[in-house]
Amino acid sequence: MKLSRVAHGADEHDCPWHRRARNAVGYSLRIRLVLVFMALAVTVAVTFMGGVQKAVSVGWREAARPLLMDYVDRLTAEIGNPPSVERAQAVANRLPLTLRIEGPQVNWASHPDHPHPDWMSDKIHKDTHWGGDDNGPRLLQRTTADGHAIEFRLNALSWDKRPRIAWGMLTVLLLLTALAFVYVRHLLRPLDDIRSGAQRFGDGNFAQPIPVRNAHRPDELGHLAATINTMGDDIHQMLEAKRALLLAMSHELRSPLTRARLNTELLPETADVQAQRLALLRDLGEMAGLITDLLESERLAGRHAALHREPTDIEDLAREVIADLQARHAGAALIAVHAAQALPEVRLDRSRLRLLLRNLLDNSLRHSDANAPPPELHLRLVDGVVEIEVRDHGPGVPPEHLPHLAQAFYRPDTARQRATGGVGLGLYLCRLVAQAHDGQLLMRNAEPGLSVTVRLPVVE
């Protein structure tokens, strides 16, 4: 799972920025909420400004038209007939206007070098409601008695503040967006707590519940957190009840098994009952071993598995386990040991490591063909991590079963036979031992055979 997440993160990092942005928007509730807020704010602002502009323009246009025409007439009279350039210049200096005079005697412009906001004057001139028709007087243009045309336009300098107003509006909008993001982040912060709590529950840690904000009066996310806490408590109680039942049954079964083994050993070793006696002892031994494995799995599955660490020579311990297994597996092939030079002693739980080696090597011996090369045990030190690899040359495992082999009671086939691998606790116990030492267990098809690698960090 971690490898798939890392690969997924690498793929996202290599993809184009627009695809990453689209993925971020698609998978982030916060970003989508902020974008919705921005779209809503812009829509409301545009609608409000357009509506106000329309309402104001419709209302005051009729009232302002006669006043504006009267004021233009007064300015025309002030300029004089024929037009006086000095008076026109005085008007242009006093008011934010651009004046242009064209006629037989005077041709003059107050701001010849400044651009004119033609869009405003043209709009006023072309608007029949403001400027009148062709037979009526123009709103911002007058003709004197001597034939001079005087045109009044809004000065472009009066519109210099428009960019500043636009930048100010943009700044306010960005500020509102940042405030919205902070607020949305605050609202959705419980989702981070819920995700962390769900991960803790998935890892088997039920000690710390998910915090519920405003527990006396929670919101929807608070109700969700409380519901998940209740679910976690129920799961914890069920797991504890299962564990207690399994431990109780295992302990209770040990006593009758011990009595049965003792009674079996007291049977006479005559030729007519010897075969049945040995078969019964073997079955009782397997049942006792299964109960031991169950108890050990429950001890290791706890969050605080007690380990008795001591300096351990892994190669010597492995050869002891191999000698014991080959004594039990009569006629079994010798296990080839490949140990790195100067392999250091490692502080490990010796009994748990013995259990791990016994299960891995016993599994490799059971699945090795008589004509195939013997199983291999590799011991090496890689970047401060001890690697224990056991490989057989058997048929291997179908790829779809590999992710589940280390689960409790899982077998690729449904047959629960000791000759083909027991009840499915061996690799599960190996995984628990590796995790108890802060290590990991990895499996792959070696083609031919199965390769199981245990990586244990070196503890000083």
Side-chain angles (χ1 to χ4, degrees):
M1 180 63 70
K2 291 183 179 179
L3 291 177
S4 63
R5 289 177 181 173
V6 171
H8 180 68
D11 292 341
E12 286 188 349
H13 181 73
D14 295 336
C15 67
W17 66 269
H18 57 84
R19 184 175 298 176
R20 294 200 301 269
R22 185 171 66 250
N23 292 338
V25 173
Y27 295 105
S28 176
L29 182 59
R30 297 187 186 94
I31 295 179
R32 280 182 285 172
L33 287 175
V34 171
L35 290 178
V36 169
F37 172 81
M38 290 179 60
L40 181 62
V42 172
T43 303
V44 170
V46 171
T47 304
F48 177 77
M49 293 175 63
V52 169
Q53 181 181 8
K54 188 68 176 177
V56 172
S57 63
V58 171
W60 72 271
R61 183 177 290 177
E62 285 298 329
R65 184 174 182 275
L67 297 176
L68 184 57
M69 292 184 67
D70 182 70
Y71 189 68
V72 171
D73 291 339
R74 290 178 178 272
L75 291 177
T76 303
E78 182 179 343
I79 293 173
N81 184 19
S84 172
V85 175
E86 291 77 10
R87 295 178 182 178
Q89 186 65 55
V91 171
N93 293 337
R94 187 175 76 248
L95 301 175
L97 294 175
T98 297
L99 277 68
R100 183 182 296 274
I101 302 174
E102 296 180 355
Q105 300 179 12
V106 181
N107 288 283
W108 172 85
S110 61
H111 300 82
D113 298 331
H114 291 171
H116 301 288
D118 293 338
W119 62 271
M120 178 60 73
S121 297
D122 291 345
K123 184 179 186 302
I124 295 176
H125 287 162
K126 293 177 182 178
D127 193 336
T128 57
H129 191 71
W130 277 93
D133 54 20
D134 294 339
N135 298 323
R138 292 289 182 177
L139 184 62
L140 299 179
Q141 186 176 353
R142 293 292 182 271
T143 302
T144 61
D146 58 355
H148 287 84
I150 303 176
E151 181 180 333
F152 300 86
R153 291 177 180 267
L154 295 176
N155 193 341
L157 297 178
S158 64
W159 297 88
D160 288 344
K161 295 183 179 180
R162 285 183 298 168
R164 283 180 288 175
I165 295 175
W167 282 110
M169 293 178 62
L170 179 60
T171 302
V172 171
L173 182 60
L174 292 176
L175 179 61
L176 291 176
T177 302
L179 293 176
F181 179 81
V182 172
Y183 183 64
V184 170
R185 181 71 179 84
H186 173 72
L187 287 179
L188 299 183
R189 188 178 297 276
L191 289 178
D192 296 334
D193 297 332
I194 293 174
R195 181 178 64 252
S196 301
Q199 291 175 348
R200 290 195 303 273
F201 294 165
D203 295 336
N205 181 9
F206 299 93
Q208 181 181 356
I210 300 173
V212 179
R213 187 171 59 185
N214 299 326
H216 60 286
R217 192 176 180 181
D219 54 9
E220 289 83 355
L221 293 179
H223 285 297
L224 177 61
T227 302
I228 296 178
N229 283 335
T230 302
M231 180 188 67
D233 291 338
D234 294 340
I235 294 175
H236 188 206
Q237 292 177 6
M238 287 189 294
L239 291 176
E240 288 297 319
K242 184 268 296 183
R243 185 170 183 268
L245 177 62
L246 186 59
L247 290 175
M249 291 177 60
S250 300
H251 281 292
E252 292 299 325
L253 285 174
R254 277 191 163 185
S255 296
L257 280 177
T258 302
R259 291 194 299 269
R261 184 178 182 85
L262 178 61
N263 292 329
T264 303
E265 290 178 347
L266 293 176
L267 290 176
E269 298 183 9
T270 58
D272 55 342
V273 299
Q274 182 65 12
Q276 292 84 355
R277 176 177 176 274
L278 293 177
L280 185 56
L281 286 174
R282 185 172 57 253
D283 292 340
L284 291 174
E286 291 180 356
M287 293 177 65
L290 176 60
I291 292 174
T292 301
D293 288 347
L294 287 172
L295 291 173
E296 188 65 21
S297 66
E298 287 302 317
R299 295 190 190 100
L300 290 171
R303 291 188 300 110
H304 303 289
L307 297 179
H308 179 64
R309 292 181 181 267
E310 56 182 329
T312 303
D313 190 320
I314 300 179
E315 183 179 356
D316 289 345
L317 182 60
R319 295 189 183 279
E320 293 177 9
V321 175
I322 291 173
D324 180 62
L325 286 175
Q326 289 183 333
R328 290 169 48 194
H329 292 267
L334 295 176
I335 297 176
V337 180
H338 304 276
Q341 295 292 332
L343 194 67
E345 290 188 344
V346 184
R347 292 184 58 83
L348 300 170
D349 189 314
R350 187 179 182 86
S351 62
R352 265 60 183 271
L353 186 60
R354 179 187 294 274
L355 173 66
L356 181 145
L357 290 169
R358 176 175 61 83
N359 284 338
L360 290 181
L361 294 172
D362 185 60
N363 186 67
S364 67
L365 288 172
R366 281 199 306 266
H367 292 89
S368 292
D369 296 331
N371 298 326
E376 301 174 6
L377 172 63
H378 297 268
L379 304 174
R380 49 184 174 259
L381 183 66
V382 180
D383 297 332
V385 176
V386 173
E387 289 189 354
I388 303 173
E389 181 184 4
V390 177
R391 178 195 172 179
D392 61 65
H393 294 84
V397 177
E400 62 272 15
H401 294 294
L402 277 177
H404 310 287
L405 281 182
Q407 295 178 2
F409 303 106
Y410 181 84
R411 285 176 49 83
D413 58 345
T414 57
R416 303 284 181 173
Q417 301 177 6
R418 296 298 298 178
T420 58
V423 296
L425 281 176
L427 290 176
Y428 172 63
L429 281 172
C430 293
R431 179 171 66 86
L432 293 180
V433 171
Q435 291 178 348
H437 288 84
D438 298 324
Q440 57 182 156
L441 182 139
L442 306 172
M443 290 173 289
R444 63 179 179 86
N445 276 318
E447 298 180 356
L450 178 69
S451 172
V452 182
T453 302
V454 177
R455 305 183 79 247
L456 303 175
V458 176
V459 179
E460 299 296 336

